[in-house]
Amino acid sequence: MRRLSLENVKLGMVIGEDIFNNFDVMVVSSGSIINENIYKLIKRMDLLDILIVEKSIEGEKRVVVVENNVQKTYDDTVQSFKNLFNNVKFGKQIVADELTDILAPMLDQVNSNKLLAKSLWQIEACDEYTYDHSVTVSMAAALLGKWMGLGENDINDLATAGLLHDIGKCNIPDEILKKPDRLTEEEFKVMKTHSTLGYLLLKNGKGFNDSILSGVYQHHEKFDGNGYPNKLREDDIHQFGRIIAVADVYSAMTSNRVYRSKMSPFQVAKLIMEYSFGYLDPVAVSIFLSNVGNFYVGTVVKLNNGLIGQIVMSNKAEPYRPLLKVDDEFVDLSKDHSLEIVAVID
Ligand SMILES: [Fe+2]
Ligand SMILES: [Fe+2]
């Protein structure tokens, strides 16, 4: 390891220390590879030099390292968000610039890691639901934004809105937020104020645009007009609100370990489709699930009848019923509804 002055730091080098910004938030963790986002980030900071582990990692090896890095990026983002959440709880103003730093490594994964959709499923969550959930929603919302063809600024803003969508929960009393049993009607009413509280926190914060504010404010509105706080319908719900709602349901289902250990991504996809009918934006749901499905083409899976096959083609209309090849025969799950994928064998 050696210290290099900033002008000698190059892409592909591996950082040997945690780097903190002026708000004392860790923005790059030790072991990170310097990519374009990290490079821009450290150039913007008042650093004299940086501890570097290796000179550079080229070619294939680099790709592998980046993929293994998803869990680390995720863990670091959860940690930074946890600090932010607790600071806001004690009255600190939220500043958009701070979020840019926290989200940079994750957005880099969204932009560059082609297998991120698959990794999202494999990520091991820590035990504190609100923090994990916020990071998963942020990542899934940014990915969905990308698949819906949004531009880079919108994708960045979506990641911010996703990360902060439940920030209002920091103003919900712990007795309600952490209550292990079912909430009473009164308690549920209080819980439901979190989207408005979050909106107000950001409105009183610094640097958040209208899309981010709407995304946070409207993430519990439902397509059929039965959501809260304003019972908005369909396109009256801001696109960010509709996208975050899809990411929210995905996260709620996949972060539940019981689901994850008992169900395959395909079974969860089916559940999301059925469960969300009427209240999530059907176009957003379909784009999300069919893109996730695409990442599994080529994967070996097990069916509920015990047979093992390989996915050869995804199915856009019903992403959980792809075309398989079992031995030398094709099995079309869209034709045979008695069959379903119960496990992914990697
Ligand atoms: Fe929420
Ligand atoms: Fe949520």
Side-chain angles (χ1 to χ4, degrees):
M1 284 213 254
R2 62 204 169 112
R3 299 205 75 87
L4 282 184
S5 62
L6 266 198
E7 60 264 30
N8 291 324
V9 167
K10 303 229 158 39
L11 291 178
M13 289 179 169
V14 179
I15 296 178
E17 63 187 335
D18 295 334
I19 298 177
F20 294 83
N21 68 6
N22 296 339
F23 306 101
D24 261 349
V25 171
M26 186 168 69
V27 289
V28 183
S29 64
S30 170
S32 302
I33 299 165
I34 302 178
N35 53 34
E36 272 168 35
N37 269 351
I38 293 178
Y39 188 74
K40 275 191 231 155
L41 194 74
I42 52 183
K43 285 279 174 183
R44 276 203 276 129
M45 300 173 73
D46 292 330
L47 301 169
L48 290 175
D49 52 24
I50 292 179
L51 196 62
I52 294 295
V53 184
E54 292 168 45
K55 228 176 162 187
S56 71
I57 299 175
E58 302 290 346
E60 257 178 58
K61 191 178 167 202
R62 181 171 173 194
V63 174
V64 174
V65 175
V66 171
E67 256 132 47
N68 292 339
N69 234 10
V70 175
Q71 181 73 49
K72 182 163 173 38
T73 302
Y74 179 86
D75 292 342
D76 292 347
T77 314
V78 169
Q79 200 48 50
S80 303
F81 179 68
K82 185 175 172 180
N83 295 339
L84 179 110
F85 187 94
N86 287 301
N87 288 340
V88 176
K89 186 173 180 157
F90 291 106
K92 190 178 169 296
Q93 190 191 34
I94 319 179
V95 181
D97 281 351
E98 214 172 312
L99 270 297
T100 313
D101 290 348
I102 293 176
L103 287 168
M106 201 189 78
L107 280 164
D108 192 64
Q109 294 281 356
V110 171
N111 290 325
S112 63
N113 185 348
K114 298 210 160 45
L115 295 174
L116 186 61
K118 225 168 156 180
S119 307
L120 203 57
W121 175 266
Q122 292 157 339
I123 281 170
E124 273 300 318
C126 73
D127 287 324
E128 292 170 290
Y129 180 72
T130 303
Y131 312 124
D132 265 309
H133 169 68
S134 300
V135 175
T136 306
V137 168
S138 174
M139 229 187 234
L143 266 178
L144 179 50
K146 184 178 156 187
W147 292 330
M148 291 176 86
L150 299 187
E152 200 183 323
N153 287 342
D154 277 339
I155 294 173
N156 292 355
D157 287 347
L158 256 178
T160 302
L163 192 66
L164 296 175
H165 79 287
D166 278 341
I167 190 75
K169 286 188 178 172
C170 74
N171 288 339
I172 301 285
D174 273 355
E175 311 85 81
I176 296 178
L177 190 62
K178 295 185 175 161
K179 188 179 175 184
D181 314 314
R182 222 186 146 87
L183 298 182
T184 64
E185 209 173 306
E186 254 335 282
E187 289 166 335
F188 193 53
K189 256 192 201 159
V190 175
M191 188 63 143
K192 277 162 78 173
T193 60
H194 78 272
S195 43
T196 307
L197 290 172
Y199 164 75
L200 292 172
L201 280 169
L202 297 197
K203 211 169 157 50
N204 294 323
K206 217 173 167 179
F208 297 101
N209 62 32
D210 281 348
S211 297
I212 297 175
L213 292 175
S214 302
V216 172
Y217 193 30
Q218 299 175 9
H219 75 273
H220 283 293
E221 297 291 354
K222 292 183 177 173
F223 218 60
D224 59 8
N226 285 319
Y228 60 86
N230 293 316
K231 293 187 179 296
L232 301 179
R233 299 180 77 97
E234 302 188 9
D235 288 351
D236 290 338
I237 308 168
H238 189 283
Q239 188 186 33
F240 275 29
R242 283 180 273 139
I243 290 177
I244 293 171
V246 174
D248 201 22
V249 169
Y250 171 81
S251 165
M253 289 192 174
T254 53
S255 58
N256 184 330
R257 283 176 194 186
V258 180
Y259 274 126
R260 280 220 301 194
S261 56
K262 288 193 177 152
M263 300 176 91
S264 74
F266 296 89
Q267 288 166 304
V268 170
K270 185 175 174 219
L271 210 64
I272 290 176
M273 211 133 178
E274 289 168 353
Y275 173 75
S276 66
F277 184 76
Y279 80 79
L280 289 180
D281 177 351
V283 176
V285 171
S286 144
I287 293 177
F288 185 73
L289 295 182
S290 62
N291 272 279
V292 172
N294 281 343
F295 285 95
Y296 286 92
V297 172
T299 306
V300 178
V301 294
K302 188 177 170 189
L303 295 175
N304 54 343
N305 62 2
L307 286 177
I308 307 274
Q310 188 178 30
I311 299 178
V312 287
M313 210 199 303
S314 63
N315 171 354
K316 221 173 166 197
E318 293 176 301
Y320 44 90
R321 299 192 201 280
L323 179 70
L324 303 185
K325 199 168 179 191
V326 179
D327 295 325
D328 279 334
E329 281 184 29
F330 287 104
V331 177
D332 189 347
L333 299 192
S334 68
K335 303 250 161 67
D336 187 345
H337 284 201
S338 69
L339 294 176
E340 64 175 359
I341 297 169
V342 292
V344 171
I345 302 166
D346 255 329

PDB file of all heavy atoms in Angstrom, residues 293-321:
ATOM      1  N   GLY A 293     -36.871 -10.806 -15.606  1.00  0.00           N
ATOM      2  CA  GLY A 293     -36.954 -12.120 -16.255  1.00  0.00           C
ATOM      3  C   GLY A 293     -35.867 -12.322 -17.297  1.00  0.00           C
ATOM      4  O   GLY A 293     -35.282 -13.399 -17.405  1.00  0.00           O
ATOM      5  N   ASN A 294     -35.567 -11.268 -18.061  1.00  0.00           N
ATOM      6  CA  ASN A 294     -34.532 -11.371 -19.109  1.00  0.00           C
ATOM      7  C   ASN A 294     -33.184 -11.795 -18.565  1.00  0.00           C
ATOM      8  O   ASN A 294     -32.406 -12.447 -19.252  1.00  0.00           O
ATOM      9  CB  ASN A 294     -34.339 -10.011 -19.785  1.00  0.00           C
ATOM     10  CG  ASN A 294     -35.433  -9.744 -20.791  1.00  0.00           C
ATOM     11  OD1 ASN A 294     -36.126 -10.673 -21.207  1.00  0.00           O
ATOM     12  ND2 ASN A 294     -35.598  -8.487 -21.169  1.00  0.00           N
ATOM     13  N   PHE A 295     -32.904 -11.393 -17.333  1.00  0.00           N
ATOM     14  CA  PHE A 295     -31.595 -11.702 -16.769  1.00  0.00           C
ATOM     15  C   PHE A 295     -31.446 -13.176 -16.434  1.00  0.00           C
ATOM     16  O   PHE A 295     -30.369 -13.646 -16.143  1.00  0.00           O
ATOM     17  CB  PHE A 295     -31.333 -10.860 -15.517  1.00  0.00           C
ATOM     18  CG  PHE A 295     -31.020  -9.444 -15.879  1.00  0.00           C
ATOM     19  CD1 PHE A 295     -31.999  -8.476 -15.893  1.00  0.00           C
ATOM     20  CD2 PHE A 295     -29.727  -9.096 -16.258  1.00  0.00           C
ATOM     21  CE1 PHE A 295     -31.711  -7.182 -16.266  1.00  0.00           C
ATOM     22  CE2 PHE A 295     -29.432  -7.803 -16.633  1.00  0.00           C
ATOM     23  CZ  PHE A 295     -30.420  -6.846 -16.638  1.00  0.00           C
ATOM     24  N   TYR A 296     -32.548 -13.893 -16.465  1.00  0.00           N
ATOM     25  CA  TYR A 296     -32.484 -15.307 -16.116  1.00  0.00           C
ATOM     26  C   TYR A 296     -32.419 -16.223 -17.342  1.00  0.00           C
ATOM     27  O   TYR A 296     -32.370 -17.438 -17.186  1.00  0.00           O
ATOM     28  CB  TYR A 296     -33.662 -15.685 -15.207  1.00  0.00           C
ATOM     29  CG  TYR A 296     -33.464 -15.155 -13.799  1.00  0.00           C
ATOM     30  CD1 TYR A 296     -33.967 -13.920 -13.424  1.00  0.00           C
ATOM     31  CD2 TYR A 296     -32.730 -15.884 -12.870  1.00  0.00           C
ATOM     32  CE1 TYR A 296     -33.759 -13.418 -12.142  1.00  0.00           C
ATOM     33  CE2 TYR A 296     -32.517 -15.407 -11.588  1.00  0.00           C
ATOM     34  CZ  TYR A 296     -33.037 -14.169 -11.229  1.00  0.00           C
ATOM     35  OH  TYR A 296     -32.812 -13.687  -9.976  1.00  0.00           O
ATOM     36  N   VAL A 297     -32.418 -15.619 -18.542  1.00  0.00           N
ATOM     37  CA  VAL A 297     -32.275 -16.461 -19.739  1.00  0.00           C
ATOM     38  C   VAL A 297     -30.903 -17.138 -19.672  1.00  0.00           C
ATOM     39  O   VAL A 297     -29.895 -16.499 -19.391  1.00  0.00           O
ATOM     40  CB  VAL A 297     -32.416 -15.612 -21.026  1.00  0.00           C
ATOM     41  CG1 VAL A 297     -32.071 -16.445 -22.253  1.00  0.00           C
ATOM     42  CG2 VAL A 297     -33.818 -15.052 -21.136  1.00  0.00           C
ATOM     43  N   GLY A 298     -30.887 -18.453 -19.867  1.00  0.00           N
ATOM     44  CA  GLY A 298     -29.628 -19.197 -19.761  1.00  0.00           C
ATOM     45  C   GLY A 298     -29.455 -19.859 -18.404  1.00  0.00           C
ATOM     46  O   GLY A 298     -28.604 -20.720 -18.228  1.00  0.00           O
ATOM     47  N   THR A 299     -30.296 -19.449 -17.447  1.00  0.00           N
ATOM     48  CA  THR A 299     -30.172 -19.996 -16.088  1.00  0.00           C
ATOM     49  C   THR A 299     -30.824 -21.376 -16.001  1.00  0.00           C
ATOM     50  O   THR A 299     -31.835 -21.640 -16.652  1.00  0.00           O
ATOM     51  CB  THR A 299     -30.878 -19.030 -15.096  1.00  0.00           C
ATOM     52  OG1 THR A 299     -30.343 -17.739 -15.288  1.00  0.00           O
ATOM     53  CG2 THR A 299     -30.678 -19.464 -13.667  1.00  0.00           C
ATOM     54  N   VAL A 300     -30.233 -22.230 -15.177  1.00  0.00           N
ATOM     55  CA  VAL A 300     -30.794 -23.558 -14.951  1.00  0.00           C
ATOM     56  C   VAL A 300     -31.755 -23.485 -13.762  1.00  0.00           C
ATOM     57  O   VAL A 300     -31.432 -22.905 -12.729  1.00  0.00           O
ATOM     58  CB  VAL A 300     -29.664 -24.576 -14.672  1.00  0.00           C
ATOM     59  CG1 VAL A 300     -30.249 -25.963 -14.375  1.00  0.00           C
ATOM     60  CG2 VAL A 300     -28.710 -24.638 -15.857  1.00  0.00           C
ATOM     61  N   VAL A 301     -32.953 -24.028 -13.963  1.00  0.00           N
ATOM     62  CA  VAL A 301     -33.976 -23.927 -12.911  1.00  0.00           C
ATOM     63  C   VAL A 301     -34.635 -25.280 -12.650  1.00  0.00           C
ATOM     64  O   VAL A 301     -34.554 -26.196 -13.472  1.00  0.00           O
ATOM     65  CB  VAL A 301     -35.084 -22.906 -13.304  1.00  0.00           C
ATOM     66  CG1 VAL A 301     -34.535 -21.502 -13.384  1.00  0.00           C
ATOM     67  CG2 VAL A 301     -35.753 -23.305 -14.618  1.00  0.00           C
ATOM     68  N   LYS A 302     -35.281 -25.365 -11.489  1.00  0.00           N
ATOM     69  CA  LYS A 302     -35.973 -26.603 -11.138  1.00  0.00           C
ATOM     70  C   LYS A 302     -37.476 -26.341 -11.152  1.00  0.00           C
ATOM     71  O   LYS A 302     -37.947 -25.301 -10.671  1.00  0.00           O
ATOM     72  CB  LYS A 302     -35.532 -27.020  -9.737  1.00  0.00           C
ATOM     73  CG  LYS A 302     -36.034 -28.373  -9.328  1.00  0.00           C
ATOM     74  CD  LYS A 302     -35.478 -28.723  -7.949  1.00  0.00           C
ATOM     75  CE  LYS A 302     -36.168 -29.958  -7.436  1.00  0.00           C
ATOM     76  NZ  LYS A 302     -35.838 -30.214  -6.044  1.00  0.00           N
ATOM     77  N   LEU A 303     -38.216 -27.296 -11.706  1.00  0.00           N
ATOM     78  CA  LEU A 303     -39.681 -27.156 -11.766  1.00  0.00           C
ATOM     79  C   LEU A 303     -40.357 -27.892 -10.605  1.00  0.00           C
ATOM     80  O   LEU A 303     -39.737 -28.741  -9.958  1.00  0.00           O
ATOM     81  CB  LEU A 303     -40.197 -27.727 -13.091  1.00  0.00           C
ATOM     82  CG  LEU A 303     -39.751 -26.978 -14.343  1.00  0.00           C
ATOM     83  CD1 LEU A 303     -40.210 -27.701 -15.604  1.00  0.00           C
ATOM     84  CD2 LEU A 303     -40.290 -25.553 -14.334  1.00  0.00           C
ATOM     85  N   ASN A 304     -41.625 -27.574 -10.382  1.00  0.00           N
ATOM     86  CA  ASN A 304     -42.348 -28.208  -9.272  1.00  0.00           C
ATOM     87  C   ASN A 304     -42.571 -29.714  -9.487  1.00  0.00           C
ATOM     88  O   ASN A 304     -42.926 -30.428  -8.567  1.00  0.00           O
ATOM     89  CB  ASN A 304     -43.671 -27.484  -8.991  1.00  0.00           C
ATOM     90  CG  ASN A 304     -44.541 -27.355 -10.222  1.00  0.00           C
ATOM     91  OD1 ASN A 304     -44.059 -27.510 -11.349  1.00  0.00           O
ATOM     92  ND2 ASN A 304     -45.816 -27.088 -10.032  1.00  0.00           N
ATOM     93  N   ASN A 305     -42.351 -30.217 -10.721  1.00  0.00           N
ATOM     94  CA  ASN A 305     -42.468 -31.671 -10.933  1.00  0.00           C
ATOM     95  C   ASN A 305     -41.104 -32.364 -10.803  1.00  0.00           C
ATOM     96  O   ASN A 305     -40.948 -33.522 -11.148  1.00  0.00           O
ATOM     97  CB  ASN A 305     -43.097 -31.971 -12.302  1.00  0.00           C
ATOM     98  CG  ASN A 305     -42.236 -31.449 -13.447  1.00  0.00           C
ATOM     99  OD1 ASN A 305     -41.156 -30.899 -13.221  1.00  0.00           O
ATOM    100  ND2 ASN A 305     -42.701 -31.626 -14.668  1.00  0.00           N
ATOM    101  N   GLY A 306     -40.109 -31.588 -10.362  1.00  0.00           N
ATOM    102  CA  GLY A 306     -38.791 -32.177 -10.115  1.00  0.00           C
ATOM    103  C   GLY A 306     -37.829 -32.081 -11.293  1.00  0.00           C
ATOM    104  O   GLY A 306     -36.624 -32.271 -11.138  1.00  0.00           O
ATOM    105  N   LEU A 307     -38.341 -31.784 -12.484  1.00  0.00           N
ATOM    106  CA  LEU A 307     -37.464 -31.707 -13.658  1.00  0.00           C
ATOM    107  C   LEU A 307     -36.565 -30.474 -13.604  1.00  0.00           C
ATOM    108  O   LEU A 307     -36.925 -29.445 -13.052  1.00  0.00           O
ATOM    109  CB  LEU A 307     -38.306 -31.669 -14.938  1.00  0.00           C
ATOM    110  CG  LEU A 307     -38.964 -32.981 -15.362  1.00  0.00           C
ATOM    111  CD1 LEU A 307     -39.813 -32.767 -16.606  1.00  0.00           C
ATOM    112  CD2 LEU A 307     -37.916 -34.074 -15.617  1.00  0.00           C
ATOM    113  N   ILE A 308     -35.383 -30.629 -14.219  1.00  0.00           N
ATOM    114  CA  ILE A 308     -34.422 -29.524 -14.281  1.00  0.00           C
ATOM    115  C   ILE A 308     -34.326 -29.075 -15.735  1.00  0.00           C
ATOM    116  O   ILE A 308     -34.218 -29.915 -16.640  1.00  0.00           O
ATOM    117  CB  ILE A 308     -33.012 -29.995 -13.835  1.00  0.00           C
ATOM    118  CG1 ILE A 308     -33.073 -30.671 -12.462  1.00  0.00           C
ATOM    119  CG2 ILE A 308     -31.996 -28.868 -13.899  1.00  0.00           C
ATOM    120  CD1 ILE A 308     -32.979 -29.766 -11.291  1.00  0.00           C
ATOM    121  N   GLY A 309     -34.383 -27.772 -15.964  1.00  0.00           N
ATOM    122  CA  GLY A 309     -34.284 -27.279 -17.342  1.00  0.00           C
ATOM    123  C   GLY A 309     -33.560 -25.952 -17.400  1.00  0.00           C
ATOM    124  O   GLY A 309     -33.241 -25.350 -16.367  1.00  0.00           O
ATOM    125  N   GLN A 310     -33.303 -25.521 -18.643  1.00  0.00           N
ATOM    126  CA  GLN A 310     -32.626 -24.240 -18.816  1.00  0.00           C
ATOM    127  C   GLN A 310     -33.573 -23.243 -19.491  1.00  0.00           C
ATOM    128  O   GLN A 310     -34.268 -23.600 -20.453  1.00  0.00           O
ATOM    129  CB  GLN A 310     -31.376 -24.443 -19.674  1.00  0.00           C
ATOM    130  CG  GLN A 310     -30.514 -23.204 -19.735  1.00  0.00           C
ATOM    131  CD  GLN A 310     -29.252 -23.436 -20.544  1.00  0.00           C
ATOM    132  OE1 GLN A 310     -29.237 -24.247 -21.468  1.00  0.00           O
ATOM    133  NE2 GLN A 310     -28.207 -22.700 -20.209  1.00  0.00           N
ATOM    134  N   ILE A 311     -33.589 -22.012 -19.009  1.00  0.00           N
ATOM    135  CA  ILE A 311     -34.464 -21.004 -19.621  1.00  0.00           C
ATOM    136  C   ILE A 311     -33.876 -20.593 -20.963  1.00  0.00           C
ATOM    137  O   ILE A 311     -32.720 -20.179 -21.035  1.00  0.00           O
ATOM    138  CB  ILE A 311     -34.616 -19.777 -18.712  1.00  0.00           C
ATOM    139  CG1 ILE A 311     -35.254 -20.206 -17.390  1.00  0.00           C
ATOM    140  CG2 ILE A 311     -35.441 -18.677 -19.380  1.00  0.00           C
ATOM    141  CD1 ILE A 311     -35.409 -19.092 -16.389  1.00  0.00           C
ATOM    142  N   VAL A 312     -34.660 -20.731 -22.043  1.00  0.00           N
ATOM    143  CA  VAL A 312     -34.133 -20.340 -23.352  1.00  0.00           C
ATOM    144  C   VAL A 312     -34.768 -19.046 -23.860  1.00  0.00           C
ATOM    145  O   VAL A 312     -34.183 -18.349 -24.666  1.00  0.00           O
ATOM    146  CB  VAL A 312     -34.301 -21.442 -24.426  1.00  0.00           C
ATOM    147  CG1 VAL A 312     -33.329 -22.567 -24.183  1.00  0.00           C
ATOM    148  CG2 VAL A 312     -35.715 -21.957 -24.488  1.00  0.00           C
ATOM    149  N   MET A 313     -35.955 -18.739 -23.384  1.00  0.00           N
ATOM    150  CA  MET A 313     -36.566 -17.489 -23.826  1.00  0.00           C
ATOM    151  C   MET A 313     -37.469 -16.940 -22.726  1.00  0.00           C
ATOM    152  O   MET A 313     -38.196 -17.700 -22.088  1.00  0.00           O
ATOM    153  CB  MET A 313     -37.384 -17.720 -25.093  1.00  0.00           C
ATOM    154  CG  MET A 313     -37.413 -16.473 -25.957  1.00  0.00           C
ATOM    155  SD  MET A 313     -38.708 -16.412 -27.154  1.00  0.00           S
ATOM    156  CE  MET A 313     -38.565 -17.792 -28.143  1.00  0.00           C
ATOM    157  N   SER A 314     -37.404 -15.600 -22.498  1.00  0.00           N
ATOM    158  CA  SER A 314     -38.277 -15.035 -21.470  1.00  0.00           C
ATOM    159  C   SER A 314     -39.645 -14.779 -22.088  1.00  0.00           C
ATOM    160  O   SER A 314     -39.816 -14.847 -23.302  1.00  0.00           O
ATOM    161  CB  SER A 314     -37.679 -13.759 -20.898  1.00  0.00           C
ATOM    162  OG  SER A 314     -37.599 -12.804 -21.910  1.00  0.00           O
ATOM    163  N   ASN A 315     -40.610 -14.498 -21.257  1.00  0.00           N
ATOM    164  CA  ASN A 315     -41.969 -14.284 -21.718  1.00  0.00           C
ATOM    165  C   ASN A 315     -42.427 -12.912 -21.219  1.00  0.00           C
ATOM    166  O   ASN A 315     -42.582 -12.701 -20.027  1.00  0.00           O
ATOM    167  CB  ASN A 315     -42.837 -15.421 -21.149  1.00  0.00           C
ATOM    168  CG  ASN A 315     -44.316 -15.202 -21.385  1.00  0.00           C
ATOM    169  OD1 ASN A 315     -44.739 -14.160 -21.873  1.00  0.00           O
ATOM    170  ND2 ASN A 315     -45.100 -16.188 -21.020  1.00  0.00           N
ATOM    171  N   LYS A 316     -42.596 -12.004 -22.156  1.00  0.00           N
ATOM    172  CA  LYS A 316     -42.859 -10.623 -21.797  1.00  0.00           C
ATOM    173  C   LYS A 316     -44.182 -10.449 -21.045  1.00  0.00           C
ATOM    174  O   LYS A 316     -44.250  -9.736 -20.049  1.00  0.00           O
ATOM    175  CB  LYS A 316     -42.871  -9.771 -23.071  1.00  0.00           C
ATOM    176  CG  LYS A 316     -42.181  -8.464 -22.838  1.00  0.00           C
ATOM    177  CD  LYS A 316     -42.022  -7.684 -24.100  1.00  0.00           C
ATOM    178  CE  LYS A 316     -41.655  -6.269 -23.660  1.00  0.00           C
ATOM    179  NZ  LYS A 316     -41.803  -5.260 -24.578  1.00  0.00           N
ATOM    180  N   ALA A 317     -45.218 -11.109 -21.524  1.00  0.00           N
ATOM    181  CA  ALA A 317     -46.538 -10.916 -20.910  1.00  0.00           C
ATOM    182  C   ALA A 317     -46.607 -11.545 -19.520  1.00  0.00           C
ATOM    183  O   ALA A 317     -47.180 -10.980 -18.601  1.00  0.00           O
ATOM    184  CB  ALA A 317     -47.614 -11.516 -21.813  1.00  0.00           C
ATOM    185  N   GLU A 318     -46.018 -12.720 -19.397  1.00  0.00           N
ATOM    186  CA  GLU A 318     -45.999 -13.398 -18.100  1.00  0.00           C
ATOM    187  C   GLU A 318     -44.560 -13.816 -17.799  1.00  0.00           C
ATOM    188  O   GLU A 318     -44.168 -14.942 -18.093  1.00  0.00           O
ATOM    189  CB  GLU A 318     -46.902 -14.641 -18.132  1.00  0.00           C
ATOM    190  CG  GLU A 318     -48.381 -14.313 -18.269  1.00  0.00           C
ATOM    191  CD  GLU A 318     -49.209 -15.589 -18.388  1.00  0.00           C
ATOM    192  OE1 GLU A 318     -48.973 -16.372 -19.327  1.00  0.00           O
ATOM    193  OE2 GLU A 318     -50.061 -15.805 -17.517  1.00  0.00           O
ATOM    194  N   PRO A 319     -43.784 -12.898 -17.220  1.00  0.00           N
ATOM    195  CA  PRO A 319     -42.342 -13.140 -17.053  1.00  0.00           C
ATOM    196  C   PRO A 319     -42.023 -14.372 -16.221  1.00  0.00           C
ATOM    197  O   PRO A 319     -40.920 -14.907 -16.323  1.00  0.00           O
ATOM    198  CB  PRO A 319     -41.863 -11.884 -16.321  1.00  0.00           C
ATOM    199  CG  PRO A 319     -42.906 -10.864 -16.558  1.00  0.00           C
ATOM    200  CD  PRO A 319     -44.205 -11.585 -16.710  1.00  0.00           C
ATOM    201  N   TYR A 320     -42.992 -14.823 -15.430  1.00  0.00           N
ATOM    202  CA  TYR A 320     -42.722 -15.993 -14.584  1.00  0.00           C
ATOM    203  C   TYR A 320     -43.016 -17.302 -15.315  1.00  0.00           C
ATOM    204  O   TYR A 320     -42.944 -18.375 -14.750  1.00  0.00           O
ATOM    205  CB  TYR A 320     -43.525 -15.894 -13.280  1.00  0.00           C
ATOM    206  CG  TYR A 320     -44.957 -15.458 -13.498  1.00  0.00           C
ATOM    207  CD1 TYR A 320     -45.955 -16.387 -13.721  1.00  0.00           C
ATOM    208  CD2 TYR A 320     -45.282 -14.103 -13.531  1.00  0.00           C
ATOM    209  CE1 TYR A 320     -47.255 -15.980 -13.960  1.00  0.00           C
ATOM    210  CE2 TYR A 320     -46.574 -13.687 -13.777  1.00  0.00           C
ATOM    211  CZ  TYR A 320     -47.552 -14.633 -13.992  1.00  0.00           C
ATOM    212  OH  TYR A 320     -48.829 -14.220 -14.244  1.00  0.00           O
ATOM    213  N   ARG A 321     -43.409 -17.215 -16.586  1.00  0.00           N
ATOM    214  CA  ARG A 321     -43.635 -18.433 -17.379  1.00  0.00           C
ATOM    215  C   ARG A 321     -42.774 -18.429 -18.649  1.00  0.00           C
ATOM    216  O   ARG A 321     -43.282 -18.300 -19.759  1.00  0.00           O
ATOM    217  CB  ARG A 321     -45.095 -18.533 -17.815  1.00  0.00           C
ATOM    218  CG  ARG A 321     -46.087 -18.615 -16.686  1.00  0.00           C
ATOM    219  CD  ARG A 321     -47.451 -19.015 -17.237  1.00  0.00           C
ATOM    220  NE  ARG A 321     -48.521 -18.648 -16.357  1.00  0.00           N
ATOM    221  CZ  ARG A 321     -48.860 -19.347 -15.285  1.00  0.00           C
ATOM    222  NH1 ARG A 321     -48.198 -20.436 -14.976  1.00  0.00           N
ATOM    223  NH2 ARG A 321     -49.857 -18.942 -14.531  1.00  0.00           N
TER     224      ARG A 321
END
